[in-house]
Amino acid sequence: MSVDPTLNLTNIQGDILSGLPKKTQTYIFFDITNVKKFRSDLRNFIPLIKTVAQVLKDRKAIDDHKKQKLPGLLPIVGVNIAFSHLGFAKLGVDDSTLVDPALGDNDPFKSGQKKDAVTNLGDPVKSAGTPDWEAPFLQDIHGVILISGDSHLNVNKKRLAIELIFGVNTPLASIKEVTSIVGDVRPGDESGHEHFGFLDGISNPVVDGFDTVINPGPKIVQQGVVLTGRPGDNGQGQTTPIPRADWAKDGSFLAFRYLFQQVPEFNQFLKANPIAKDGNGKVLTPEQGSDLLGARMVGRWKSGAPIDITPFQDDPVLAADPKRNNDFKFEGEINSQLRCPFAAHVRKTNPRNDLEVPPSPTPSIPVELRRIMRRGVQFGPEVTKEEATAGKTQHGRGLLFAAYQSSLANGFQFLQHSWANNQNFPPFETQPEQPGLDPLIGQGTRAMSGLDPLNEQKVLAMPAFIIPRGGEYFFSPSLSGLKATIAATA
Ligand code: HEM
């Protein structure tokens, strides 16, 4: 398939559609302190931004480098920028067309994540109306600069160049850094795996007119599910396109979450609750039983192989085959948790056929419109021997969760609020048992059924293994939007 000629890949920030290549990534959260100077500094910053077109070239160069088995990594760095609603307000940029008319003041981008965390996301609360977050995320944040690259050295060099442009820490500064966080892909064989050990980044939406390689899997999504101002960007109303100002087209909303993972505690839980027999009645060793428990919580084995295809035994060959590793729909499993629990993380966050096949109640909008483009990276060190032995976290680690979509209310917010946190989801008309919460990200009293394949009704309670400690909603504008409006002289 060829790329849709109306899709201007030099106008779209690279992380959105192609993902900035990264071994390490720095997020700089900033406030704008001098509006006039910021606009002029931004004009000098824009040439540093990697577009989708440039990222595709970088990815091709990386592939060639790998194919030729050349040593080391190519020195590639990519920069993107995004703004919060408070950032646009500070700049005096009218961002009213970023708000879904069907939602008005309740649009999560407008209300900001600090408020949303308490009202919709279910984050633990510190005091009335305030989430239990790290202090910097309780402050106002105007924007975020993402720097991804092959090494700390090259990312830090770029960071210095950027700080120079904005005069950071000098009397001429136009921004103040609120906080910065460094994320790193895990080392060695764990590369690509999140901190619990599961391969991540397998299932992202395939975008119509952009992706040229289409592997079997969930339905292709319209461009407007990810990009604003493109076909399918209809928000909550879903009958007419949201009227976006020109500068607000070809951008995407970025949901950032600072998620801490309790890895030793997670491993202890798996060890303490091994599944005794697989779905065929085969007796499992404690280790096999713990592995199966983890796989049933996630919906995939650590290798990435989906349990819907290979429910009781890992299959690393299948996991590594892009033509097969996403080709499942929970078909034939309506009302059954034998192969995959209803509440398994990947079934909760992408229920595939669960909502389409009778007797499921018809969903308000199709599942494809709720897909999100995930671009996270790990942070924090590997688990130490002391932590593993004690089963207790002593060093902060987790996921810098980042996901792009054209509607936060259809995408991230809905997945967290209405699916992960909802013990009755997925809803079957003749539901045999309550699914329970998403065992990874569900907020509330965590418990789920279906973990034991031979006793689907059995409910297992569990502590919080993932703790949200910050976040914000941003909008990642097009290059033309940045130049014509955001960096324009007032
Ligand atoms: C530390 C937190 C998290 C961890 C460890 C985690 C882990 C994983 C893993 C291992 C997968 C399977 C790999 C794949 O299909 O790509 C996955 C898939 C997914 N996760 Fe998460 N996740 C986390 C947070 C979240 C959050 C906050 C959301 C959204 C609210 C989310 C949404 C998804 C989606 C949409 C998929 C793909 C489902 C599919 O299409 O099959 N995840 N996650």
Side-chain angles (χ1 to χ4, degrees):
M1 262 187 64
S2 55
V3 174
D4 172 359
T6 71
L7 203 54
N8 182 356
L9 301 182
T10 59
N11 193 34
I12 302 166
Q13 295 203 51
D15 206 28
I16 303 171
L17 290 182
S18 23
L20 297 170
K22 57 182 176 250
K23 286 289 172 196
T24 179
Q25 186 169 38
T26 295
Y27 280 78
I28 305 172
F29 299 92
F30 64 88
D31 274 348
I32 299 160
T33 48
N34 180 333
V35 170
K36 198 161 172 240
K37 183 158 183 302
F38 177 80
R39 284 173 182 270
S40 116
D41 292 345
L42 189 59
R43 290 198 284 281
N44 296 326
F45 170 86
I46 289 171
L48 302 188
I49 294 176
K50 278 259 159 97
T51 64
V52 177
Q54 288 164 323
V55 172
L56 291 179
K57 276 193 193 142
D58 285 352
R59 289 205 171 273
K60 165 102 181 43
I62 293 170
D63 280 352
D64 290 347
H65 185 84
K66 277 189 195 153
K67 272 187 205 137
Q68 292 170 44
K69 299 209 164 60
L70 296 170
L73 299 174
L74 287 178
I76 285 177
V77 176
V79 175
N80 275 191
I81 191 167
F83 297 87
S84 67
H85 170 62
L86 292 174
F88 287 131
K90 175 81 183 184
L91 285 168
V93 170
D94 173 5
D95 66 352
S96 53
T97 70
L98 290 182
V99 174
D100 186 337
L103 295 168
D105 286 348
N106 291 327
D107 188 301
F109 180 70
K110 192 166 181 193
S111 61
Q113 199 182 106
K114 210 186 326 172
K115 185 164 173 229
D116 204 34
V118 176
T119 46
N120 287 307
L121 305 181
D123 286 17
V125 167
K126 190 173 172 183
S127 56
T130 310
D132 190 7
W133 282 3
E134 305 258 309
F137 290 98
L138 296 174
Q139 299 175 36
D140 290 352
I141 294 175
H142 293 158
V144 60
I145 294 171
L146 282 66
I147 318 173
S148 303
D150 60 298
S151 66
H152 286 166
L153 181 73
N154 289 332
V155 166
N156 286 341
K157 268 197 220 161
K158 191 62 84 178
R159 179 178 182 157
L160 283 177
I162 291 168
E163 288 175 342
L164 205 64
I165 289 176
F166 293 105
V168 173
N169 293 332
T170 74
L172 290 175
S174 62
I175 63 172
K176 179 174 79 67
E177 291 181 7
V178 178
T179 188
S180 62
I181 311 179
V182 176
D184 287 301
V185 167
R186 293 184 59 208
D189 288 348
E190 291 300 324
S191 172
H193 294 242
E194 52 71 48
H195 271 293
F196 294 143
F198 295 83
L199 187 65
D200 204 354
I202 306 166
S203 181
N204 262 329
V206 172
V207 177
D208 183 33
F210 172 67
D211 285 288
T212 46
V213 180
I214 297 167
N215 290 314
K219 284 187 196 147
I220 296 174
V221 306
Q222 286 183 286
Q223 291 164 11
V225 170
V226 183
L227 295 172
T228 50
R230 291 263 154 197
D233 172 26
N234 301 342
Q236 287 258 302
Q238 282 309 316
T239 44
T240 48
I242 297 184
R244 310 280 191 191
D246 275 351
W247 74 266
K249 291 177 180 165
D250 278 352
S252 192
F253 292 98
L254 165 62
F256 172 80
R257 298 276 281 165
Y258 195 17
L259 300 175
F260 283 68
Q261 290 176 252
Q262 304 286 96
V263 182
E265 289 82 351
F266 179 82
N267 289 337
Q268 287 281 33
F269 178 79
L270 297 190
K271 213 171 160 192
N273 297 283
I275 294 171
K277 290 181 190 171
D278 75 9
N280 301 319
K282 188 185 137 206
V283 177
L284 303 174
T285 64
E287 203 190 325
Q288 288 169 334
S290 296
D291 284 351
L292 182 59
L293 178 68
R296 289 181 74 82
M297 288 166 76
V298 174
R300 289 185 184 266
W301 296 90
K302 284 187 173 170
S303 66
I307 60 168
D308 191 46
I309 302 179
T310 177
F312 306 124
Q313 198 166 358
D314 190 5
D315 184 346
V317 178
L318 159 66
D321 182 353
K323 293 207 162 12
R324 293 195 291 149
N325 66 14
N326 211 17
D327 190 16
F328 61 97
K329 294 188 186 139
F330 310 115
E331 260 168 345
E333 282 189 77
I334 300 297
N335 285 348
S336 164
Q337 316 203 60
L338 178 65
R339 297 172 82 86
C340 181
F342 298 139
H345 179 61
V346 304
R347 195 166 184 176
K348 278 277 194 189
T349 53
N350 184 6
R352 301 182 186 220
N353 254 27
D354 273 346
L355 301 188
E356 290 192 10
V357 179
S360 304
T362 315
S364 54
I365 65 171
V367 173
E368 296 80 71
L369 303 184
R370 304 210 178 280
R371 303 288 314 276
I372 55 176
M373 197 65 95
R374 290 172 303 126
R375 304 283 182 223
V377 69
Q378 283 59 56
F379 70 90
E382 293 295 294
V383 171
T384 62
K385 268 199 189 118
E386 293 72 27
E387 289 179 291
T389 313
K392 214 174 154 6
T393 296
Q394 282 154 10
H395 309 279
R397 62 176 66 77
L399 176 68
L400 305 180
F401 175 87
Y404 293 94
Q405 59 255 275
S406 68
S407 163
L408 291 160
N410 284 351
F412 164 74
Q413 187 203 45
F414 193 88
L415 267 55
Q416 182 69 54
H417 170 268
S418 302
W419 287 353
N421 296 359
N422 176 359
Q423 55 189 359
N424 293 316
F425 183 86
F428 299 116
E429 265 167 15
T430 50
Q431 200 163 44
E433 56 262 335
Q434 203 171 46
L437 261 54
D438 182 318
L440 299 193
I441 60 168
Q443 297 295 328
T445 310
R446 275 178 205 75
M448 68 179 277
S449 62
L451 287 170
D452 185 341
L454 295 183
N455 185 0
E456 295 177 29
Q457 292 79 30
K458 188 176 154 193
V459 172
L460 196 57
M462 56 194 76
F465 300 118
I466 290 174
I467 301 166
R469 299 282 291 150
E472 185 50 290
Y473 297 133
F474 300 98
F475 180 72
S476 180
S478 66
L479 276 283
S480 57
L482 278 163
K483 286 178 204 157
T485 302
I486 304 167
T489 33

